[in-house]
Amino acid sequence: TNITYLLQGMKAKFRVEVTEENLDEIIYKNSNDPNPRERNFCSRLTNGACEKTVILRTGSNNIWFTVHDKAGNVVSQNVEIVV
């Protein structure tokens, strides 16, 4: 799993590249939100990747991405962005 992002003001456009062919879903959670919760990032890959724009909060944003495959395997990766 490879995660990159482009920061534009308070928005970050994330690209998550996944080599798993049996992707179930990718979820994300910003631990610094006032009410942190898991949100859907994508459930299908286009050319091995998903892209989504996420609105960030001022200050530190500790974002966890979790990739699930159909066999139940899970991989997590953290990205920290300061706005």
Side-chain angles (χ1 to χ4, degrees), residues 19-36:
T19 57
E20 175 58 53
E21 293 181 15
N22 295 309
L23 176 73
D24 185 27
E25 67 178 346
I26 301 174
I27 57 173
Y28 72 98
K29 178 172 77 171
N30 187 344
S31 299
N32 295 87
D33 276 347
N35 183 19

Side-chain angles (χ1 to χ4, degrees), residues 29-70:
K29 178 172 77 171
N30 187 344
S31 299
N32 295 87
D33 276 347
N35 183 19
R37 61 187 169 136
E38 292 182 343
R39 300 172 189 264
N40 185 39
F41 189 80
C42 76
S43 58
R44 284 184 307 201
L45 299 175
T46 303
N47 296 323
C50 291
E51 291 185 357
K52 184 172 186 169
T53 299
V54 176
I55 298 173
L56 304 174
R57 303 189 60 77
T58 301
S60 181
N61 291 269
N62 188 21
I63 303 168
W64 282 95
F65 289 87
T66 307
V67 179
H68 298 259
D69 71 10
K70 292 178 181 171

